[in-house]
Amino acid sequence: MIKLASTTNTKSFAKTVLEVGDDGVDCFAFERADSPYPEWDYWGQDVNAAKAMCFELWGVPPGSWQQSPK
């Protein structure tokens, strides 16, 4: 599984995370850095669709995603 993360957004989230799996992409938004679970979650069909959705919903710039440790 590939995991991408961004701390840049217009909704004041601590971070947003994309978990890329074989059946799609889980999109998570964490309101605080110490949140054990995401406060928001959505599903995207593929990475490009997930990034576009995160940009539209949360203001995450498409170029801000960084691969994070698994």
Side-chain angles (χ1 to χ4, degrees):
M1 175 181 297
I2 297 171
K3 187 184 277 189
L4 303 170
S6 176
T7 57
T8 306
N9 61 79
T10 60
K11 300 295 183 183
S12 299
F13 291 132
K15 67 180 176 181
T16 52
V17 175
L18 299 180
E19 291 185 355
V20 183
D22 293 336
D23 60 344
V25 182
D26 290 308
C27 310
F28 302 114
F30 296 81
E31 292 180 356
R32 297 176 326 275
D34 63 348
S35 296
Y37 302 103
E39 283 77 23
W40 299 91
D41 64 88
Y42 290 92
W43 182 84
Q45 186 171 352
D46 58 42
V47 174
N48 290 330
K51 286 180 179 181
M53 181 180 63
C54 289
F55 178 69
E56 183 178 322
L57 293 175
W58 302 327
V60 180
S64 69
W65 297 101
Q66 300 292 318
Q67 190 161 351
S68 63
K70 295 179 181 185

